[in-house]
Coordinates of all heavy atoms in Angstrom, one line a residue:
M1 N 62.9 199.8 -151.3 CA 62.9 198.6 -150.5 C 62.4 197.5 -151.4 O 62.9 196.4 -151.3 CB 62.0 198.8 -149.3 CG 62.0 197.6 -148.3 SD 63.6 197.4 -147.5 CE 63.6 198.5 -146.2
A2 N 61.4 197.8 -152.2 CA 60.8 196.7 -153.1 C 61.9 196.2 -154.1 O 62.0 195.0 -154.3 CB 59.7 197.3 -153.9
T3 N 62.8 197.1 -154.5 CA 63.9 196.7 -155.4 C 64.8 195.7 -154.7 O 65.2 194.7 -155.3 CB 64.6 197.9 -155.9 OG1 63.7 198.8 -156.6 CG2 65.7 197.5 -156.9
A4 N 65.1 196.0 -153.5 CA 66.0 195.2 -152.7 C 65.4 193.8 -152.5 O 66.1 192.8 -152.6 CB 66.3 195.8 -151.3
I5 N 64.1 193.8 -152.1 CA 63.5 192.5 -151.9 C 63.4 191.7 -153.2 O 63.7 190.5 -153.2 CB 62.1 192.7 -151.3 CG1 62.2 193.3 -149.9 CG2 61.3 191.4 -151.2 CD1 61.0 193.8 -149.3
F6 N 63.0 192.3 -154.3 CA 63.0 191.7 -155.6 C 64.3 191.1 -155.9 O 64.5 190.0 -156.4 CB 62.5 192.6 -156.6 CG 62.4 192.0 -158.0 CD1 61.5 191.0 -158.3 CD2 63.3 192.3 -159.0 CE1 61.4 190.5 -159.6 CE2 63.3 191.8 -160.2 CZ 62.3 190.8 -160.5
H7 N 65.4 191.9 -155.7 CA 66.7 191.5 -156.1 C 67.1 190.2 -155.2 O 67.8 189.3 -155.8 CB 67.7 192.6 -155.8 CG 69.0 192.4 -156.5 ND1 70.1 192.0 -155.8 CD2 69.4 192.6 -157.8 CE1 71.2 191.9 -156.7 NE2 70.7 192.3 -157.8
L8 N 66.8 190.2 -154.0 CA 67.1 189.1 -153.1 C 66.4 187.8 -153.5 O 66.9 186.7 -153.1 CB 66.9 189.4 -151.6 CG 67.9 190.5 -151.1 CD1 67.5 190.9 -149.7 CD2 69.3 189.9 -151.1
T9 N 65.3 187.9 -154.2 CA 64.6 186.7 -154.6 C 65.5 185.9 -155.6 O 65.2 184.7 -155.7 CB 63.2 187.0 -155.2 OG1 63.4 187.7 -156.4 CG2 62.3 187.7 -154.2
G10 N 66.4 186.5 -156.2 CA 67.3 185.8 -157.2 C 68.5 185.2 -156.5 O 69.3 184.6 -157.2
L11 N 68.6 185.3 -155.2 CA 69.8 184.8 -154.5 C 70.0 183.3 -154.7 O 71.1 182.8 -154.9 CB 69.7 185.1 -153.0 CG 71.0 184.9 -152.2 CD1 72.1 185.7 -152.8 CD2 70.7 185.4 -150.8
S12 N 69.0 182.5 -154.7 CA 69.1 181.0 -154.8 C 69.7 180.7 -156.2 O 70.4 179.7 -156.4 CB 67.8 180.3 -154.6 OG 66.8 180.8 -155.5
M13 N 69.3 181.5 -157.2 CA 69.8 181.3 -158.6 C 71.3 181.5 -158.6 O 72.0 180.8 -159.2 CB 69.0 182.2 -159.5 CG 69.6 182.3 -160.9 SD 68.8 183.6 -161.9 CE 69.4 185.1 -161.1
V14 N 71.7 182.6 -158.0 CA 73.1 183.0 -158.0 C 74.0 182.0 -157.3 O 75.1 181.8 -157.8 CB 73.3 184.4 -157.4 CG1 74.7 184.8 -157.2 CG2 72.5 185.4 -158.1
G15 N 73.5 181.4 -156.3 CA 74.3 180.4 -155.5 C 74.9 179.3 -156.3 O 75.9 178.7 -156.0
G16 N 74.2 178.9 -157.4 CA 74.6 177.8 -158.2 C 75.5 178.2 -159.4 O 75.9 177.3 -160.2
W17 N 75.7 179.4 -159.6 CA 76.5 179.9 -160.7 C 78.0 179.4 -160.7 O 78.6 179.0 -161.7 CB 76.5 181.4 -160.9 CG 75.2 181.9 -161.5 CD1 74.2 181.2 -162.0 CD2 74.8 183.3 -161.5 NE1 73.2 182.0 -162.4 CE2 73.6 183.3 -162.1 CE3 75.4 184.4 -161.2 CZ2 72.9 184.5 -162.3 CZ3 74.8 185.6 -161.4 CH2 73.5 185.6 -162.0
M18 N 78.6 179.5 -159.5 CA 80.0 179.1 -159.3 C 80.2 178.5 -157.9 O 79.3 178.7 -157.1 CB 80.9 180.3 -159.4 CG 80.9 181.0 -160.8 SD 82.0 182.4 -160.8 CE 81.6 183.0 -162.4
E19 N 81.3 177.8 -157.7 CA 81.6 177.2 -156.5 C 82.8 177.8 -155.8 O 83.5 178.6 -156.5 CB 81.8 175.7 -156.7 CG 80.6 175.0 -157.1 CD 80.8 173.5 -157.2 OE1 81.8 173.0 -156.7 OE2 80.0 172.8 -157.9
G20 N 83.0 177.6 -154.5 CA 84.1 178.0 -153.8 C 84.1 179.5 -153.6 O 83.1 180.2 -153.4
V21 N 85.4 180.1 -153.7 CA 85.5 181.5 -153.4 C 84.8 182.3 -154.5 O 84.2 183.4 -154.1 CB 87.0 181.9 -153.4 CG1 87.3 183.4 -153.3 CG2 87.8 181.1 -152.3
Q22 N 84.8 181.9 -155.7 CA 84.1 182.7 -156.8 C 82.6 182.7 -156.5 O 82.0 183.7 -156.7 CB 84.4 182.1 -158.1 CG 85.8 182.3 -158.6 CD 86.0 181.6 -160.0 OE1 85.4 180.6 -160.3 NE2 86.9 182.3 -160.8
G23 N 82.1 181.6 -156.0 CA 80.6 181.5 -155.7 C 80.3 182.4 -154.6 O 79.3 183.1 -154.6
R24 N 81.1 182.5 -153.5 CA 80.9 183.4 -152.4 C 81.0 184.8 -152.8 O 80.3 185.7 -152.3 CB 81.8 183.0 -151.3 CG 81.4 181.7 -150.6 CD 82.2 181.4 -149.3 NE 83.7 181.3 -149.5 CZ 84.3 180.2 -149.8 NH1 83.6 179.1 -150.0 NH2 85.6 180.2 -150.0
T25 N 82.0 185.1 -153.7 CA 82.2 186.5 -154.2 C 80.9 186.9 -155.0 O 80.4 188.0 -154.8 CB 83.4 186.6 -155.0 OG1 84.5 186.2 -154.3 CG2 83.6 188.0 -155.5
I26 N 80.5 186.1 -155.9 CA 79.3 186.4 -156.7 C 78.1 186.6 -155.8 O 77.3 187.6 -155.9 CB 79.0 185.4 -157.7 CG1 80.1 185.4 -158.8 CG2 77.6 185.5 -158.4 CD1 80.1 186.6 -159.6
T27 N 77.9 185.8 -154.8 CA 76.8 185.9 -153.8 C 76.9 187.2 -153.1 O 75.9 187.9 -152.9 CB 76.8 184.7 -152.8 OG1 76.6 183.5 -153.6 CG2 75.7 184.8 -151.8
A28 N 78.1 187.6 -152.6 CA 78.3 188.9 -151.9 C 78.0 190.0 -152.8 O 77.3 191.0 -152.4 CB 79.7 189.0 -151.4
L29 N 78.4 190.0 -154.1 CA 78.1 191.0 -155.0 C 76.6 191.1 -155.3 O 76.1 192.2 -155.7 CB 78.9 190.8 -156.3 CG 80.3 191.2 -156.3 CD1 81.1 190.8 -157.6 CD2 80.5 192.7 -156.0
W30 N 75.9 190.0 -155.2 CA 74.5 190.0 -155.4 C 73.7 190.6 -154.2 O 72.8 191.3 -154.4 CB 74.0 188.5 -155.6 CG 72.6 188.5 -156.1 CD1 71.4 188.4 -155.3 CD2 72.2 188.5 -157.5 NE1 70.3 188.4 -156.1 CE2 70.7 188.5 -157.5 CE3 72.8 188.7 -158.7 CZ2 70.0 188.5 -158.6 CZ3 72.1 188.7 -159.8 CH2 70.7 188.6 -159.8
I31 N 74.2 190.3 -153.0 CA 73.6 190.8 -151.8 C 73.9 192.3 -151.6 O 73.0 193.1 -151.1 CB 74.0 190.0 -150.6 CG1 73.5 188.6 -150.7 CG2 73.6 190.6 -149.3 CD1 74.1 187.6 -149.7
A32 N 75.1 192.8 -151.9 CA 75.5 194.1 -151.6 C 74.6 195.2 -152.1 O 74.3 196.2 -151.4 CB 76.9 194.3 -152.1
P33 N 74.1 195.2 -153.4 CA 73.2 196.2 -153.8 C 71.9 196.3 -153.0 O 71.4 197.3 -152.7 CB 72.9 195.9 -155.3 CG 74.0 195.0 -155.7 CD 74.4 194.3 -154.5
A34 N 71.4 195.1 -152.6 CA 70.2 195.1 -151.8 C 70.4 195.8 -150.5 O 69.5 196.5 -150.0 CB 69.7 193.6 -151.6
I35 N 71.6 195.6 -149.9 CA 71.8 196.2 -148.6 C 71.9 197.7 -148.8 O 71.4 198.5 -148.0 CB 73.2 195.7 -148.0 CG1 73.0 194.2 -147.6 CG2 73.6 196.6 -146.8 CD1 74.3 193.6 -147.2
G36 N 72.5 198.2 -149.9 CA 72.5 199.6 -150.2 C 71.1 200.2 -150.4 O 70.8 201.3 -149.8
W37 N 70.3 199.5 -151.1 CA 68.9 200.0 -151.4 C 68.1 200.0 -150.1 O 67.4 200.9 -149.8 CB 68.2 199.2 -152.4 CG 68.7 199.3 -153.8 CD1 69.1 200.5 -154.4 CD2 68.9 198.2 -154.7 NE1 69.5 200.2 -155.7 CE2 69.4 198.8 -155.9 CE3 68.8 196.9 -154.7 CZ2 69.8 198.1 -157.0 CZ3 69.1 196.1 -155.8 CH2 69.6 196.8 -157.0
M38 N 68.3 199.0 -149.2 CA 67.6 198.9 -148.0 C 68.0 200.0 -147.0 O 67.2 200.6 -146.3 CB 67.8 197.6 -147.3 CG 67.0 196.5 -147.9 SD 67.1 195.0 -146.9 CE 67.7 193.9 -148.0
A39 N 69.3 200.3 -147.0 CA 69.8 201.4 -146.1 C 69.2 202.7 -146.5 O 68.8 203.5 -145.6 CB 71.4 201.4 -146.2
V40 N 69.3 203.1 -147.7 CA 68.7 204.4 -148.2 C 67.2 204.4 -147.9 O 66.6 205.4 -147.4 CB 69.0 204.6 -149.6 CG1 68.3 205.8 -150.2 CG2 70.5 204.8 -149.8
S41 N 66.5 203.3 -148.2 CA 65.1 203.2 -148.0 C 64.7 203.4 -146.6 O 63.8 204.1 -146.2 CB 64.6 201.9 -148.6 OG 63.2 201.7 -148.3
A42 N 65.4 202.7 -145.7 CA 65.1 202.7 -144.2 C 65.3 204.1 -143.7 O 64.5 204.7 -142.9 CB 65.9 201.7 -143.5
F43 N 66.4 204.7 -144.1 CA 66.8 206.1 -143.6 C 65.7 207.1 -144.0 O 65.2 207.8 -143.2 CB 68.1 206.5 -144.2 CG 68.5 207.9 -143.9 CD1 69.1 208.2 -142.7 CD2 68.3 208.9 -144.8 CE1 69.5 209.5 -142.4 CE2 68.7 210.2 -144.5 CZ 69.3 210.5 -143.3
W44 N 65.3 207.1 -145.3 CA 64.3 208.1 -145.7 C 62.9 207.8 -145.3 O 62.1 208.7 -145.0 CB 64.4 208.2 -147.3 CG 65.6 209.0 -147.6 CD1 66.8 208.5 -148.0 CD2 65.8 210.4 -147.3 NE1 67.8 209.6 -148.1 CE2 67.2 210.7 -147.7 CE3 65.0 211.5 -146.9 CZ2 67.7 212.0 -147.6 CZ3 65.6 212.7 -146.8 CH2 66.9 213.0 -147.2
T45 N 62.6 206.5 -145.1 CA 61.3 206.1 -144.6 C 61.1 206.6 -143.2 O 60.1 207.2 -142.8 CB 61.0 204.6 -144.7 OG1 61.1 204.2 -146.1 CG2 59.7 204.2 -144.1
Y46 N 62.2 206.4 -142.4 CA 62.2 206.8 -141.0 C 62.0 208.3 -140.9 O 61.1 208.8 -140.2 CB 63.5 206.4 -140.3 CG 63.6 207.1 -139.0 CD1 62.9 206.7 -137.8 CD2 64.4 208.3 -138.8 CE1 63.0 207.4 -136.6 CE2 64.5 208.9 -137.6 CZ 63.8 208.5 -136.5 OH 63.9 209.2 -135.4
H47 N 62.7 209.1 -141.7 CA 62.6 210.5 -141.6 C 61.3 211.0 -142.2 O 60.8 212.1 -141.8 CB 63.8 211.2 -142.3 CG 65.1 211.1 -141.5 ND1 65.2 211.9 -140.4 CD2 66.1 210.3 -141.6 CE1 66.4 211.6 -139.8 NE2 66.9 210.6 -140.5
A48 N 60.7 210.3 -143.2 CA 59.4 210.8 -143.7 C 58.3 210.6 -142.7 O 57.5 211.5 -142.5 CB 59.1 209.9 -144.9
F49 N 58.4 209.5 -141.9 CA 57.4 209.3 -140.9 C 57.6 210.1 -139.6 O 56.7 210.5 -138.9 CB 57.2 207.8 -140.6 CG 56.4 207.1 -141.7 CD1 57.1 206.3 -142.6 CD2 55.1 207.3 -141.8 CE1 56.4 205.7 -143.6 CE2 54.3 206.6 -142.8 CZ 55.0 205.8 -143.7
S50 N 58.9 210.4 -139.3 CA 59.2 211.1 -138.0 C 59.0 212.6 -138.2 O 58.9 213.4 -137.2 CB 60.6 210.8 -137.6 OG 61.5 211.4 -138.4
G51 N 59.0 213.1 -139.5 CA 58.9 214.5 -139.7 C 60.2 215.3 -139.5 O 60.2 216.5 -139.6
E52 N 61.3 214.6 -139.2 CA 62.6 215.2 -139.0 C 63.3 215.4 -140.3 O 63.2 214.6 -141.2 CB 63.5 214.3 -138.1 CG 62.9 214.1 -136.7 CD 63.8 213.1 -136.0 OE1 64.9 212.8 -136.4 OE2 63.4 212.6 -134.9
T53 N 64.0 216.5 -140.4 CA 64.9 216.7 -141.5 C 66.3 216.2 -141.2 O 66.9 216.6 -140.2 CB 65.0 218.2 -141.9 OG1 63.7 218.7 -142.1 CG2 65.9 218.4 -143.1
P54 N 66.8 215.2 -141.9 CA 68.1 214.6 -141.6 C 69.2 215.6 -141.8 O 69.1 216.5 -142.6 CB 68.2 213.5 -142.5 CG 67.3 213.8 -143.7 CD 66.2 214.6 -143.1
S55 N 70.3 215.4 -141.1 CA 71.5 216.2 -141.2 C 72.2 215.9 -142.6 O 72.0 214.8 -143.1 CB 72.5 216.0 -140.1 OG 73.0 214.7 -140.2
W56 N 73.0 216.8 -143.0 CA 73.8 216.6 -144.3 C 74.7 215.4 -144.1 O 74.9 214.6 -145.0 CB 74.5 217.8 -144.7 CG 73.7 218.6 -145.7 CD1 73.1 219.8 -145.4 CD2 73.3 218.3 -147.0 NE1 72.4 220.2 -146.5 CE2 72.5 219.3 -147.5 CE3 73.6 217.2 -147.8 CZ2 72.0 219.3 -148.8 CZ3 73.1 217.2 -149.1 CH2 72.3 218.3 -149.6
S57 N 75.3 215.3 -142.9 CA 76.3 214.2 -142.8 C 75.6 212.8 -142.9 O 76.1 211.9 -143.5 CB 77.0 214.3 -141.4 OG 76.2 214.3 -140.4
A58 N 74.4 212.7 -142.3 CA 73.6 211.4 -142.4 C 73.2 211.2 -143.8 O 73.2 210.1 -144.3 CB 72.4 211.5 -141.4
T59 N 72.8 212.3 -144.5 CA 72.4 212.2 -145.9 C 73.6 211.7 -146.8 O 73.4 210.8 -147.6 CB 71.9 213.5 -146.4 OG1 70.8 213.9 -145.6 CG2 71.4 213.4 -147.9
L60 N 74.7 212.2 -146.5 CA 75.9 211.9 -147.3 C 76.3 210.4 -147.1 O 76.7 209.7 -148.0 CB 77.1 212.8 -147.0 CG 76.9 214.2 -147.5 CD1 78.1 215.0 -147.0 CD2 76.8 214.2 -149.0
V61 N 76.1 209.9 -145.9 CA 76.3 208.5 -145.6 C 75.3 207.6 -146.4 O 75.7 206.6 -147.1 CB 76.2 208.1 -144.1 CG1 76.2 206.6 -143.9 CG2 77.4 208.8 -143.4
T62 N 74.0 208.0 -146.4 CA 73.1 207.2 -147.2 C 73.3 207.3 -148.7 O 72.9 206.4 -149.4 CB 71.6 207.6 -146.9 OG1 71.4 208.9 -147.3 CG2 71.3 207.4 -145.5
A63 N 74.0 208.4 -149.1 CA 74.3 208.5 -150.5 C 75.6 207.7 -150.9 O 75.7 207.2 -152.0 CB 74.5 210.0 -150.9
A64 N 76.5 207.6 -149.9 CA 77.7 206.9 -150.1 C 77.6 205.4 -150.1 O 78.3 204.7 -150.8 CB 78.8 207.3 -149.0
I65 N 76.7 204.9 -149.3 CA 76.5 203.4 -149.3 C 76.2 202.8 -150.6 O 76.9 201.9 -151.1 CB 75.4 203.0 -148.2 CG1 75.9 203.4 -146.8 CG2 75.0 201.6 -148.4 CD1 74.8 203.3 -145.8
P66 N 75.2 203.3 -151.4 CA 75.0 202.7 -152.7 C 76.2 202.9 -153.7 O 76.5 202.1 -154.5 CB 73.7 203.4 -153.2 CG 73.1 203.9 -152.0 CD 74.1 204.2 -151.0
L67 N 76.8 204.1 -153.5 CA 78.0 204.3 -154.4 C 79.1 203.3 -154.1 O 79.8 202.9 -155.0 CB 78.5 205.8 -154.3 CG 77.7 206.8 -155.0 CD1 78.3 208.2 -154.8 CD2 77.6 206.5 -156.5
A68 N 79.3 203.0 -152.8 CA 80.3 202.1 -152.4 C 80.1 200.7 -153.0 O 81.0 199.9 -153.1 CB 80.4 202.0 -150.9
V69 N 78.8 200.4 -153.3 CA 78.5 199.1 -153.9 C 78.5 199.3 -155.5 O 79.0 198.3 -156.1 CB 77.1 198.7 -153.5 CG1 76.6 197.4 -154.2 CG2 77.0 198.5 -152.0
A70 N 78.2 200.4 -156.0 CA 78.1 200.6 -157.5 C 79.5 200.5 -158.1 O 79.7 200.0 -159.2 CB 77.5 201.9 -157.8
I71 N 80.5 201.0 -157.4 CA 81.9 201.1 -157.9 C 82.4 199.7 -158.1 O 82.9 199.3 -159.2 CB 82.8 202.0 -157.1 CG1 82.3 203.4 -157.2 CG2 84.2 201.8 -157.5 CD1 82.9 204.4 -156.2
P72 N 82.4 198.8 -157.1 CA 82.9 197.4 -157.4 C 82.0 196.7 -158.4 O 82.6 195.9 -159.1 CB 82.8 196.7 -156.0 CG 82.6 197.8 -155.0 CD 82.1 199.0 -155.7
L73 N 80.7 197.0 -158.4 CA 79.9 196.3 -159.4 C 80.3 196.7 -160.8 O 80.4 195.8 -161.6 CB 78.4 196.7 -159.1 CG 77.4 196.0 -160.0 CD1 77.3 194.6 -159.7 CD2 76.0 196.7 -159.7
A74 N 80.5 197.9 -161.0 CA 81.0 198.4 -162.3 C 82.4 197.9 -162.7 O 82.7 197.5 -163.8 CB 81.0 199.9 -162.4
T75 N 83.2 197.7 -161.7 CA 84.6 197.3 -161.9 C 84.7 195.8 -162.1 O 85.3 195.3 -163.1 CB 85.5 197.6 -160.6 OG1 85.4 199.0 -160.4 CG2 86.9 197.2 -160.9
Y76 N 84.0 195.0 -161.3 CA 84.1 193.5 -161.4 C 83.1 192.8 -162.2 O 83.3 191.7 -162.6 CB 84.1 192.9 -160.0 CG 85.3 193.4 -159.2 CD1 85.1 194.2 -158.0 CD2 86.6 193.1 -159.5 CE1 86.2 194.7 -157.3 CE2 87.7 193.6 -158.8 CZ 87.5 194.4 -157.7 OH 88.6 194.8 -157.0
V77 N 81.9 193.4 -162.4 CA 80.9 192.8 -163.2 C 80.9 193.4 -164.6 O 81.3 192.7 -165.6 CB 79.5 192.9 -162.5 CG1 78.4 192.2 -163.4 CG2 79.5 192.2 -161.2
A78 N 80.4 194.6 -164.7 CA 80.4 195.3 -166.0 C 80.0 196.8 -165.8 O 79.1 197.0 -165.0 CB 79.4 194.7 -167.0
P79 N 80.7 197.7 -166.5 CA 80.3 199.1 -166.3 C 78.9 199.4 -166.8 O 78.3 200.4 -166.4 CB 81.4 199.9 -167.1 CG 82.3 198.9 -167.7 CD 81.8 197.5 -167.3
T80 N 78.4 198.6 -167.7 CA 77.0 198.8 -168.2 C 75.9 198.0 -167.5 O 74.8 198.1 -167.9 CB 77.0 198.4 -169.7 OG1 77.4 197.0 -169.8 CG2 77.9 199.2 -170.5
H81 N 76.3 197.4 -166.4 CA 75.3 196.6 -165.6 C 74.2 197.6 -165.1 O 74.5 198.6 -164.4 CB 76.0 195.9 -164.5 CG 75.1 194.9 -163.8 ND1 74.2 195.3 -162.9 CD2 75.1 193.6 -163.9 CE1 73.6 194.2 -162.4 NE2 74.1 193.1 -163.0
P82 N 73.0 197.3 -165.3 CA 71.9 198.1 -164.8 C 71.8 198.3 -163.3 O 71.4 199.4 -162.9 CB 70.6 197.5 -165.3 CG 71.0 196.2 -165.9 CD 72.5 196.1 -166.0
G83 N 72.3 197.4 -162.6 CA 72.3 197.5 -161.1 C 73.2 198.7 -160.7 O 72.8 199.4 -159.7
G84 N 74.3 198.9 -161.3 CA 75.1 200.1 -161.0 C 74.4 201.4 -161.2 O 74.5 202.3 -160.3
Y85 N 73.6 201.5 -162.3 CA 72.9 202.7 -162.5 C 71.7 202.9 -161.5 O 71.4 204.0 -161.1 CB 72.3 202.7 -163.9 CG 73.4 202.8 -165.0 CD1 73.7 201.7 -165.7 CD2 74.1 204.0 -165.1 CE1 74.7 201.8 -166.7 CE2 75.1 204.0 -166.0 CZ 75.4 202.9 -166.8 OH 76.4 203.0 -167.7
M86 N 71.1 201.7 -161.0 CA 70.1 201.8 -160.0 C 70.7 202.3 -158.7 O 70.1 203.0 -157.9 CB 69.4 200.5 -159.9 CG 68.6 200.1 -161.1 SD 68.0 198.4 -161.0 CE 66.7 198.6 -159.8
L87 N 71.9 201.8 -158.4 CA 72.6 202.3 -157.1 C 72.9 203.7 -157.2 O 72.8 204.5 -156.2 CB 73.8 201.4 -156.9 CG 73.5 200.0 -156.4 CD1 74.6 199.1 -156.7 CD2 73.1 200.0 -155.0
I88 N 73.4 204.2 -158.4 CA 73.7 205.6 -158.5 C 72.4 206.4 -158.4 O 72.4 207.5 -157.8 CB 74.4 205.8 -159.9 CG1 75.8 205.2 -159.8 CG2 74.5 207.3 -160.2 CD1 76.5 205.1 -161.2
A89 N 71.3 205.9 -158.9 CA 70.0 206.6 -158.8 C 69.6 206.7 -157.3 O 69.1 207.7 -156.9 CB 69.0 205.9 -159.6
A90 N 69.9 205.6 -156.5 CA 69.6 205.7 -155.1 C 70.4 206.8 -154.4 O 69.9 207.5 -153.6 CB 69.8 204.3 -154.5
S91 N 71.7 206.9 -154.7 CA 72.5 208.0 -154.2 C 72.0 209.3 -154.5 O 71.9 210.2 -153.7 CB 73.9 207.8 -154.6 OG 74.5 206.7 -154.1
T92 N 71.7 209.5 -155.8 CA 71.1 210.8 -156.3 C 69.8 211.1 -155.6 O 69.6 212.3 -155.2 CB 71.0 210.7 -157.8 OG1 72.2 210.3 -158.4 CG2 70.5 212.0 -158.4
L93 N 69.0 210.1 -155.5 CA 67.7 210.3 -154.8 C 67.9 210.8 -153.4 O 67.2 211.7 -152.9 CB 66.9 209.1 -154.8 CG 65.5 209.1 -154.2 CD1 64.6 210.2 -154.9 CD2 64.8 207.8 -154.2
A94 N 68.8 210.3 -152.7 CA 69.1 210.7 -151.3 C 69.5 212.2 -151.3 O 69.0 213.0 -150.4 CB 70.2 209.8 -150.7
L95 N 70.4 212.6 -152.2 CA 70.9 214.0 -152.2 C 69.8 214.9 -152.7 O 69.6 216.0 -152.1 CB 72.1 214.1 -153.1 CG 73.3 213.3 -152.7 CD1 74.4 213.3 -153.7 CD2 73.8 213.8 -151.3
V96 N 69.0 214.5 -153.7 CA 67.9 215.4 -154.1 C 66.8 215.5 -153.1 O 66.3 216.6 -152.8 CB 67.3 214.8 -155.4 CG1 66.0 215.5 -155.8 CG2 68.3 214.9 -156.6
A97 N 66.5 214.5 -152.4 CA 65.5 214.5 -151.3 C 66.0 215.5 -150.2 O 65.2 216.2 -149.7 CB 65.2 213.1 -150.8
K98 N 67.2 215.4 -149.8 CA 67.7 216.3 -148.8 C 67.6 217.7 -149.2 O 67.2 218.6 -148.4 CB 69.2 215.9 -148.4 CG 69.9 216.9 -147.5 CD 69.2 217.0 -146.2 CE 70.0 218.0 -145.3 NZ 69.2 218.4 -144.2
K99 N 68.0 218.0 -150.4 CA 68.0 219.4 -150.9 C 66.5 219.9 -150.9 O 66.3 221.0 -150.6 CB 68.6 219.5 -152.3 CG 68.7 220.9 -152.8 CD 69.7 221.0 -153.9 CE 69.8 222.3 -154.5 NZ 70.1 223.4 -153.6
R100 N 65.6 219.0 -151.4 CA 64.2 219.4 -151.5 C 63.6 219.7 -150.1 O 62.8 220.6 -150.0 CB 63.5 218.3 -152.2 CG 62.0 218.7 -152.5 CD 61.4 217.9 -153.6 NE 60.1 218.4 -153.9 CZ 59.0 217.8 -153.5 NH1 59.0 216.6 -152.9 NH2 57.8 218.3 -153.9
F101 N 63.9 218.9 -149.1 CA 63.3 219.0 -147.8 C 64.0 219.8 -146.8 O 63.7 219.9 -145.7 CB 63.1 217.6 -147.2 CG 62.1 216.8 -148.0 CD1 62.5 215.7 -148.7 CD2 60.7 217.2 -148.1 CE1 61.5 215.0 -149.5 CE2 59.8 216.5 -148.8 CZ 60.2 215.4 -149.5
S102 N 65.1 220.4 -147.3 CA 65.9 221.3 -146.4 C 65.3 222.7 -146.2 O 64.6 223.2 -147.1 CB 67.3 221.5 -146.9 OG 68.0 220.3 -146.8

């Protein structure tokens, strides 16, 4: 969650990079990773405090969300962009946590 919040603090900087459709696209690409990180964080925080073990289908959704953001990021920004690796790590963390707590 901290990564998502930190990332969103740069949103005002990104808004001035480009105008029009390109500016909105860059802004969306900036917001998308934060949404992925927040979704995984909220899911696992809820389950950690509730004591419930999540189903595999719910776990796969939380793993797919960051990957759905990482793929366009690697495609449209750069394959070496560190944000893509952080999103892949979030997906991996979701799967590893499920396996560990099952």
Side-chain angles (χ1 to χ4, degrees):
M1 188 63 83
T3 302
I5 292 167
F6 178 73
H7 196 261
L8 289 174
T9 62
L11 192 56
S12 61
M13 170 188 66
V14 173
W17 285 352
M18 295 178 185
E19 294 183 16
V21 175
Q22 289 178 327
R24 290 190 296 275
T25 302
I26 291 295
T27 300
L29 284 172
W30 192 268
I31 293 170
I35 292 170
W37 291 318
M38 282 190 240
V40 173
S41 173
F43 177 81
W44 285 102
T45 300
Y46 167 78
H47 285 287
F49 284 104
S50 71
E52 298 175 14
T53 301
S55 66
W56 267 108
S57 58
T59 301
L60 290 175
V61 168
T62 63
I65 292 169
L67 282 180
V69 176
I71 292 167
L73 184 64
T75 303
Y76 297 114
V77 177
T80 57
H81 190 283
Y85 294 108
M86 292 173 75
L87 288 158
I88 291 168
S91 293
T92 304
L93 181 61
L95 297 173
V96 169
K98 170 60 180 168
K99 185 162 175 59
R100 183 161 188 253
F101 293 112
S102 293

